Amino acid sequence: MDKQNVHMNPPHPGTNLTGEYPLEYPSAAFPGPPGHIGYPGPQAGYAVPPPGYASPGPVGFPVQHQPVTGHPGAPTQVPWMPAPLPPLNCPPGLEYLTQIDQLLIHQQIELLEVLIGFETNNKYEIKNSLGQRIYFAAEDTDCCTRNCCGPSRPFTMRILDNMGREVITLERPLRCTSCCFPCCLQEIEIQAPPGVPVGYVTQTWHPCLPKFTIQNERREDVLRISGPCVICSCCADIDFEVKSLDDKYVVGKISKHWTGLIKELFTDVDNFGIQFPLDLDVKMKAVMLGACFLIDFMFFEMTRGEQRAGVW
């Protein structure tokens, strides 16, 4: 399937992206639709992190507040992005997102999955456009759930910063996967820090198109996501557009990158890119990151047999 060409508005002044990922979203000065008041900004009086936030993380994760050069299963040669000064009312750990307008998500290859098809916990590196690692994400799901429920499984995704602190938690409940039933649709909750919801991504029922709604912590609709009718990964990227609520303006996108014939055929390893306005609220940037993981599990987390059928 040919990659869809989507017209987007001019880029935000002063943003820097690599040539690999062209600038395609509107500037912060763009007035938007009538009555548009901009994206939600940081809210005053942000909740204090729950007790125990600064304590050591879950078993198997690095001790918090101790500088680390890598995480379990993560390559050690990739440099970490220097931690910026946190702005006022920014959730702890999300200060990295204030300085970027693009995220690259690279799933790691699990040898056990490749050899015998045994489903293991997914692990991801999350980088900026310079290739510096910002976060490390690790799925936390039991063996029975992973191998019995497959890509439809509920999961907890723990996202750590360069100090080993769990700064974002994603919670996906077990929901219906059939497009024939408009109830119990897919959703994911984004918490930052863990235990404090900052937003949700909910599936919107449609007989043909993958559609989602991005909501804030009060479950108010903020943005929409729309994907292609036929999700085919044959030699091309697949774009999910992030739009305004009236669907008139494209403000970003989530793209599943083509990783090559061998990887696509014999693994379920996926690479993604996320674009968003530089001045978008950091909470909504974190929610878009959660949307990327939900899209990965719904459409691209397949067995090797399903993967071959999807490619061809």
Side-chain angles (χ1 to χ4, degrees):
M1 182 184 72
D2 293 334
K3 181 179 178 181
Q4 293 182 344
N5 294 322
V6 180
H7 174 71
M8 291 186 176
N9 292 300
H12 184 286
T15 56
N16 294 310
L17 291 180
T18 60
E20 165 191 1
Y21 220 141
L23 288 161
E24 292 183 328
Y25 48 76
S27 71
F30 192 80
H36 178 70
I37 57 174
Y39 299 103
Q43 298 179 355
Y46 181 77
V48 177
Y53 172 69
S55 63
V59 176
F61 291 102
V63 177
Q64 297 177 2
H65 296 303
Q66 298 298 319
V68 293
T69 57
H71 289 290
T76 57
Q77 70 273 18
V78 180
W80 284 85
M81 174 180 174
L85 292 175
L88 185 65
N89 297 324
C90 177
L94 299 193
E95 60 270 12
Y96 297 90
L97 301 179
T98 61
Q99 299 184 349
I100 59 176
D101 51 16
Q102 177 187 4
L103 287 173
L104 302 175
I105 297 94
H106 296 162
Q107 185 176 354
Q108 296 186 355
I109 296 178
E110 300 294 335
L111 188 59
L112 199 58
E113 282 192 33
V114 175
L115 294 179
I116 64 174
F118 183 84
E119 188 68 40
T120 59
N121 278 320
N122 290 350
K123 298 181 179 67
Y124 305 82
E125 287 183 294
I126 303 171
K127 304 176 182 178
N128 60 17
S129 59
L130 300 177
Q132 296 172 321
R133 194 184 305 143
I134 305 174
Y135 300 120
F136 182 80
E139 180 187 355
D140 185 9
T141 308
D142 63 84
C143 176
C144 181
T145 300
R146 290 195 309 270
N147 290 279
C148 292
C149 299
S152 302
R153 63 186 180 266
F155 65 77
T156 298
M157 189 74 68
R158 306 188 187 280
I159 301 178
L160 313 178
D161 67 0
N162 63 358
M163 300 293 289
R165 301 174 302 174
E166 183 180 346
V167 295
I168 304 174
T169 302
L170 311 178
E171 295 282 355
R172 180 202 188 189
L174 182 62
R175 292 296 179 91
C176 179
T177 58
S178 173
C179 65
C180 299
F181 301 98
C183 59
C184 295
L185 297 176
Q186 296 289 318
E187 77 167 31
I188 192 168
E189 177 183 292
I190 295 85
Q191 304 170 3
V196 181
V198 296
Y200 304 83
V201 180
T202 60
Q203 184 182 7
T204 304
W205 186 83
H206 192 281
C208 301
L209 298 175
K211 288 182 174 290
F212 303 88
T213 301
I214 293 177
Q215 301 175 327
N216 61 19
E217 66 271 24
R218 297 182 297 278
R219 286 196 174 271
E220 299 169 341
D221 295 352
V222 178
L223 295 167
R224 299 195 189 280
I225 301 175
S226 179
C229 180
V230 179
I231 299 180
C232 175
S233 58
C234 184
C235 303
D237 294 349
I238 302 172
D239 294 335
F240 291 76
E241 295 179 337
V242 181
K243 301 181 179 180
S244 58
L245 291 178
D246 57 8
D247 287 333
K248 290 184 178 179
Y249 304 94
V250 177
V251 299
K253 69 178 179 179
I254 299 172
S255 299
K256 192 269 182 187
H257 294 163
W258 170 256
T259 57
L261 187 61
I262 300 300
K263 280 189 178 181
E264 296 287 347
L265 276 175
F266 297 102
T267 74
D268 61 359
V269 172
D270 299 310
N271 293 339
F272 287 85
I274 307 176
Q275 287 184 7
F276 38 65
L278 184 64
D279 61 346
L280 183 66
D281 180 17
V282 291
K283 296 179 185 178
M284 291 300 102
K285 292 182 180 182
V287 174
M288 286 183 63
L289 178 59
C292 180
F293 285 110
L294 180 60
I295 289 171
D296 180 26
F297 274 79
M298 286 183 63
F299 302 110
F300 306 107
E301 180 74 7
M302 305 177 185
T303 64
R304 284 182 293 177
E306 292 172 331
Q307 193 76 1
R308 293 189 190 100
V311 171
W312 299 111

